[in-house]
Amino acid sequence: MLKPTVGPIIGHTTTNHARIFIRGELQKNLQVFAGLRYRASNTTQWSNALLIKLDESRDLSDVFILNDLQEDTEYEFQTGWFCPMSPVHTVDSVAELPLQWPRELYRLRTRCNKPLQARAYILGSCRYLRLTAGVPILPLLGDRIFTSINQLIEGAQPPISATVMSGDQIYADDLNLIAPDRSYKDILCKYRAAFSQPGIQRLMSGTSTYMILDDHEIEDNWPANADAADAADDELYRNAMAAYELYQVSHSPAYALTTNGQLDHASLEHYWYQFSEGDIEWFVTDTRTRRNLSGDEPRILDEAQEQALCNWLINSAARVKFVVTSVMFFPDRQLNGDDAWQGFAQQRLRLLETVRTHSIKNVVVVSGDVHGSLTSRLSHSEDADFEIHTVVSSPLCNSKLLPYAKASTFVLDQPLVRTAAGDYSHELTSEVISEDNFAHMVVEADHILINYHDRDGKQLQSIAIKLR
């Protein structure tokens, strides 16, 4: 059995369930199978082997589902792929073979449902990895920050529950004006290269990773730059989404399980999803593929997603509610801000009014996109009980051709929006970081601590958000 060519990627994990993505490789037109076995750490008895036949239609990748796990328990697992010589093997018949497992052990920890327990997360977005002819150029630059994240995770207390990547995990367009990636084959190649670099591979093989796309998984400022009458743009979108579903969505909660506890490949209805841990809940929005730019009121979320988000905000009993949006919720930009929530003012106001009129506490918006990191606070002139915080973490690795955001990038000297019921005004609660960075966020009983670190792991600043 050989090590995965991509992965393992630990995805959605609950108190009793985990999803693990791996990819194999085609060899001499033989059938390809993948296997995984696991056990609670410090025990000796392995589970029965989980086996999957890998298919070229899924780029020889798939997701193992681990069910009936114990809460707040560390497990270790081995996984890999193999090609039996006989062309007539099935999943049942290869189970009888004496498999030689790869020696490497990976570890995961199931969730704990205890309330008020401190929990920690890694936040980041916008990871640029330049490829030429399918080969990474200076790959250490695009992977360097993940080595620093791994070093922080090793000694982190509380332990890191998950990494949340809020967009632009790849740059499919890659600023390549000569031959931008548009084919399915080329975009798959980009994912394989991006997710198999040693630093990010180590991170995702040991920590649950949740992802949502932004524009560069397709094309810069998609869909504003798309031509509805252009068949090539339609083909680009289909190719980009097919690759995205394999490498980012497949191990997320967006897919349902079948009645026998396996991944239901036919169940994907939308890319937005929710997950939770104890008294902390997350709503990860899709602010890219359900946009409607026509009509009197442009929408960044489709109607069903907006309604689901509002219902969750109103009805969830979570102590802290994190809303992930790949583009900035606030503050607005001085220039070219219409790609973010600034361009969808009516829908944004409806969400703000939902939070304010229902007196919803401890709402924090997590985003990326702007190639600068910051925290900010939104208040209301006539409602002292209202506040929403944003935590922005971007970029993990910038291109030298793209500028970093600065404080002067944002509109900070006037209210975000004026209404008859009062003004929504915002302020920065941190400095704006204008370099490659990631955020280490710790949710305590009475506050959230956000520590920003540079690509070498050095702490840049620390911000505390008081919980109510």
Side-chain angles (χ1 to χ4, degrees):
M1 194 180 294
L2 302 172
K3 293 176 62 175
T5 58
V6 181
I9 300 174
I10 301 174
H12 180 45
T13 304
T14 70
T15 55
N16 62 356
H17 165 91
R19 306 182 181 198
I20 301 174
F21 169 101
I22 83 158
R23 179 183 182 272
E25 189 67 84
L26 194 64
Q27 287 194 346
K28 299 179 181 179
N29 295 318
L30 296 173
Q31 294 187 97
V32 184
F33 293 85
L36 184 147
R37 64 179 183 177
Y38 63 95
R39 63 189 178 190
S41 296
N42 301 319
T43 64
T44 58
Q45 184 64 44
W46 288 104
S47 69
N48 293 330
L50 305 178
L51 296 165
I52 298 175
K53 182 179 178 182
L54 301 180
D55 196 297
E56 284 187 82
S57 67
R58 298 184 55 80
D59 196 35
L60 296 164
S61 71
D62 216 318
V63 177
F64 287 102
I65 305 297
L66 280 57
N67 290 312
D68 300 320
L69 304 177
Q70 299 298 310
E71 179 178 345
D72 194 21
T73 300
E74 184 182 80
Y75 287 85
E76 58 189 24
F77 64 95
Q78 294 172 309
T79 187
W81 62 278
F82 58 98
C83 296
M85 296 305 295
S86 171
V88 297
H89 268 302
T90 65
V91 168
D92 290 334
S93 66
V94 295
E96 306 300 322
L97 298 177
L99 299 176
Q100 297 294 318
W101 293 89
R103 296 181 61 184
E104 187 160 3
L105 287 176
Y106 304 96
R107 289 179 172 81
L108 68 86
R109 190 170 196 90
T110 53
R111 300 287 180 259
C112 172
N113 259 343
K114 292 179 181 177
L116 297 177
Q117 182 166 313
R119 308 177 195 277
Y121 304 89
I122 299 295
L123 310 178
S125 65
C126 307
R127 186 276 188 101
Y128 186 85
L129 183 71
R130 183 68 179 269
L131 295 185
T132 298
V135 178
I137 305 302
L138 299 175
L140 290 179
L141 294 180
D143 196 51
R144 177 176 177 177
I145 199 166
F146 296 106
T147 299
S148 299
I149 294 173
N150 289 324
Q151 290 170 348
L152 183 148
I153 285 176
E154 285 179 3
Q157 288 298 328
I160 304 299
S161 294
T163 300
V164 179
M165 297 184 179
S166 57
D168 294 342
Q169 277 68 256
I170 68 161
Y171 279 65
D173 52 352
D174 204 21
L175 296 182
N176 190 336
L177 301 178
I178 299 173
D181 290 334
R182 301 180 74 88
S183 74
Y184 183 53
K185 177 182 177 182
D186 287 342
I187 297 172
L188 287 176
C189 180
K190 188 143 291 182
Y191 272 107
R192 292 181 211 137
F195 286 1
S196 62
Q197 300 300 308
I200 192 172
Q201 189 276 334
R202 181 181 169 196
L203 172 64
M204 295 194 299
S205 68
T207 304
S208 297
T209 303
Y210 294 87
M211 304 174 178
I212 193 66
L213 83 165
D214 197 22
D215 54 342
H216 289 287
E217 274 90 355
I218 312 167
E219 184 179 65
D220 188 32
N221 281 356
W222 185 276
N225 292 340
D227 184 347
D230 189 342
D233 277 357
D234 288 341
E235 183 181 13
L236 165 64
Y237 182 74
R238 289 195 303 271
N239 292 338
M241 290 300 95
Y244 170 69
E245 288 174 11
L246 287 183
Y247 279 92
Q248 298 198 53
V249 185
S250 63
H251 44 81
S252 81
Y255 278 100
L257 299 181
T258 61
T259 54
N260 63 348
Q262 299 306 303
L263 199 69
D264 185 352
H265 291 300
S267 67
L268 185 64
E269 297 180 354
H270 46 68
Y271 298 136
W272 48 269
Y273 59 86
Q274 300 173 40
F275 69 97
S276 63
E277 183 179 19
D279 53 6
I280 298 169
E281 293 186 6
W282 296 74
F283 193 113
V284 181
T285 65
D286 170 14
T287 57
R288 190 55 67 178
T289 74
R290 298 298 182 97
R291 295 184 180 209
N292 186 342
L293 304 181
S294 61
D296 295 333
E297 184 202 333
R299 302 179 67 95
I300 192 169
L301 307 180
D302 58 295
E303 185 175 351
Q305 185 177 182
E306 180 184 345
Q307 190 61 56
L309 176 57
C310 288
N311 289 342
W312 172 77
L313 285 167
I314 294 167
N315 297 318
S316 168
R319 179 173 59 95
V320 183
K321 299 180 178 70
F322 289 107
V323 179
V324 179
T325 163
S326 58
V327 294
M328 291 274 288
F329 195 61
F330 68 86
D332 290 340
R333 301 183 66 164
Q334 297 277 6
L335 300 171
N336 304 318
D338 285 349
D339 185 58
W341 283 86
Q342 182 175 351
F344 306 86
Q346 290 173 270
Q347 193 169 41
R348 178 170 64 179
L349 179 58
R350 286 198 298 272
L351 292 176
L352 294 178
E353 286 289 275
T354 296
V355 173
R356 188 180 69 83
T357 58
H358 288 86
S359 300
I360 302 169
K361 303 291 192 296
N362 300 330
V363 176
V364 180
V365 181
V366 173
S367 61
D369 181 55
V370 295
H371 292 218
S373 290
L374 59 94
T375 63
S376 57
R377 176 181 178 270
L378 189 68
S379 58
H380 192 274
S381 61
E382 306 304 318
D383 188 344
D385 201 36
F386 169 87
E387 71 173 17
I388 292 179
H389 291 267
T390 60
V391 178
V392 182
S393 184
S394 167
L396 291 163
C397 181
N398 201 7
S399 164
K400 292 182 179 179
L401 300 177
L402 297 174
Y404 290 100
K406 301 177 290 186
S408 60
T409 302
F410 305 103
V411 180
L412 302 171
D413 59 352
Q414 61 190 52
L416 185 73
V417 59
R418 300 180 187 273
T419 73
D423 296 345
Y424 286 97
S425 298
H426 54 295
E427 61 179 341
L428 293 180
T429 53
S430 74
E431 301 294 324
V432 177
I433 296 172
S434 303
E435 60 181 287
D436 292 357
N437 70 94
F438 67 92
H440 171 212
M441 182 174 73
V442 182
V443 184
E444 300 277 6
D446 60 352
H447 71 279
I448 301 172
L449 185 66
I450 299 102
N451 297 305
Y452 287 106
H453 298 260
D454 70 11
R455 65 182 183 180
D456 294 321
K458 177 184 176 183
Q459 184 170 307
L460 297 170
Q461 61 176 319
S462 183
I463 303 97
I465 298 174
K466 184 173 177 57
L467 295 173
R468 299 179 296 159

